[in-house]
Amino acid sequence: MNVIFLAGKDIFDNILESIESSHKTMLILSPGFAQSEWCYFEMRMAQDHLFRERRNLLLLVLLHEIPDNDIPRILRKMLLTQKFIKWTDNEVGQRLFWEKLKVALRSDNRVNRVTVADI
């Protein structure tokens, strides 16, 4: 799905409607993500949608390690309680990453919490 924000529409409404109309919401986690207020807001909206729908709608991808002191509390809890897919520079690991991502994107299980396969 291509996300198109409508000009003149409130940014919060655009974000929420995009999350609600998406098959999956993927969060690409990096130090920049952890420091961004907008990313934090989008993460909270995606997490709220996950809890309301009780379906496996949220994919966490750790692109780069985030220093412990830069991880917001809610993101730290998500990383401790939810599985995530981790990017690697290793060629074999990258092939495995793409396979795991394909499986995670196809899943549509109703669950109590996210259970995306990890590497």
Side-chain angles (χ1 to χ4, degrees):
M1 175 182 145
N2 292 325
V3 176
I4 299 173
F5 284 178
L6 299 174
K9 190 171 191 173
D10 184 76
I11 185 72
F12 298 105
D13 291 335
N14 271 318
I15 291 170
L16 187 57
E17 287 176 15
S18 294
I19 290 170
E20 289 177 345
S21 64
S22 294
H23 174 68
K24 298 278 185 176
T25 299
M26 184 182 308
L27 300 179
I28 309 297
L29 307 175
S30 67
F33 179 97
Q35 295 175 355
S36 168
E37 290 182 31
W38 280 111
C39 290
Y40 181 80
F41 172 74
E42 291 169 343
M43 176 182 63
R44 291 302 306 257
M45 292 295 97
Q47 188 178 40
D48 288 347
H49 183 63
L50 166 78
F51 291 133
R52 281 193 314 275
E53 294 295 317
R54 296 184 60 88
R55 287 185 19 216
N56 189 359
L57 302 172
L58 185 60
L59 301 176
L60 300 178
V61 175
L62 185 60
L63 183 61
H64 298 291
E65 292 293 330
I66 304 170
D68 283 343
N69 58 335
D70 290 342
I71 301 176
R73 191 173 88 184
I74 190 161
L75 179 55
R76 181 182 317 279
K77 185 171 183 172
M78 289 173 70
L79 290 171
L80 292 173
T81 60
Q82 297 177 197
K83 294 184 179 183
F84 56 89
I85 302 171
K86 186 175 180 180
W87 177 254
T88 179
D89 291 329
N90 176 292
E91 188 176 325
V92 173
Q94 287 177 5
R95 285 195 299 269
L96 185 57
F97 169 88
W98 292 115
E99 289 303 314
K100 299 278 187 177
L101 185 59
K102 282 191 265 186
V103 169
L105 286 170
R106 279 182 262 163
S107 70
D108 194 25
N109 302 332
R110 292 194 176 273
V111 293
N112 290 328
R113 71 176 188 154
V114 176
T115 56
V116 176
D118 62 333
I119 297 176

